[in-house]
Amino acid sequence: MRAAVTAIASHRRLLLPVLQSFQTSITTNRNRTIVRNIMSEMDPTSFARPRLVTKKVLAKHQREGDGAIVRRCIGRSELKSLDPFLMMDDFSVSPPAGFPDHPHRGFETVTYMTQGGITHQDFAGHKGTIHTGDVQWMTAGKGIIHSEMPAGEGVHKGLQLWINLSSQDKMIEPRYQELLSEDIPSAEQDGAEVRVIAGESMGVRSPVYTRTPTMYLDFSLRPRAQVHQHVPESWNAFAYILEGEGVFGYQNKTPISANHVLVLGPGDGVSVWNKSSKPLRFVLIAGQPLNEPVVQYGPFVMNTQAEIDQTIEDYHYSKNGFEMAKHWRSH
């Protein structure tokens, strides 16, 4: 089959649409792989199964923490979760509001600042401030109690993503990975720029270790630019538009505006076009689903109700990971 197809591979403009149509009817993995590889060789921006928008949700304002305002992207009635992602907030906070002392167990939080800064401190003595463009990747594991408060006057904005941990990782020791803005790998191609917070894009890779395999990309597209990003086929994926409007999936789709969450259907990649006269900025986030039961009680995420009951007891009595909570208060 490969010899027959490659014999006419020079007629790319004619052959690509035929292959794109043909590959949907292929029944064997071997032949499907052959066609996908040929298409990739002919046009690296083409996908055997382009990911399309299957759900669009407007992230609306709500109050969170102590006086903070967030746009809840995931973790709301319209989109409760997207395995392995439990929640994402687009937050905005000004003093004296913030996120005072609170616990976590059983998952990771990823905080990415888009404006200003957030000062973090926890009961183990870890303290620091992340500023615009910086990332903190916190693995709560068996338990963390911390505070997240605005660093100075004015408005401070960012994204916080909650990523579930597998049952075997829920009770690991807490750890942090922090990247300054200048240390986040980036690349630019034909008017499309990417900052690689996790995973790989345009030939550059993030140093962040993702215990639950995750891709986290921040794209900025100039007017008339486009980007084509491969995503592992077995992963769940979504985009969140921070600024401007973009066309996702196919060129003839209607542009989608800022503050929308776009759940992307199955496929091996996603294409995005900025057909407007203004810049487009969005994050593309994807992860390998855990396919495990999820039982959540606020900031505690485990696999069974019994584990949640044990976590509440551990927190209340300052044990099994919460030992340092008994006499600790942030300041």
Side-chain angles (χ1 to χ4, degrees), residues 107-108 123-124 138-144 165 168-176 211 320-324:
F107 61 99
E108 298 183 300
F123 68 176
M138 183 186 82
T139 303
K142 65 193 295 185
I144 279 282
L165 287 170
Q168 66 183 18
D169 290 333
K170 285 188 176 297
M171 294 296 287
I172 62 175
E173 292 295 325
R175 63 170 294 192
Y176 292 90
R211 193 168 290 276
N320 295 332
F322 292 110
E323 287 84 355
M324 290 179 283

Side-chain angles (χ1 to χ4, degrees), residues 226-301:
Q226 58 185 271
V227 69
H228 307 272
Q229 176 64 43
H230 285 275
V231 179
E233 283 197 75
S234 62
W235 291 16
N236 288 328
F238 72 95
Y240 177 65
I241 303 175
L242 289 162
E243 177 187 348
E245 62 177 33
V247 176
F248 289 74
Y250 283 138
Q251 284 206 61
N252 59 355
K253 297 292 184 180
T254 303
I256 303 173
S257 59
N259 305 127
H260 278 95
V261 184
L262 313 177
V263 178
L264 302 171
D268 60 339
V270 62
S271 296
V272 184
W273 293 265
N274 181 6
K275 297 189 174 185
S276 75
S277 59
K278 297 180 179 179
L280 164 66
R281 185 183 183 189
F282 66 94
V283 291
L284 174 63
I285 298 173
Q288 182 175 300
L290 298 174
N291 297 315
E292 293 182 356
V294 175
V295 181
Q296 181 171 355
Y297 181 77
F300 304 139
V301 183

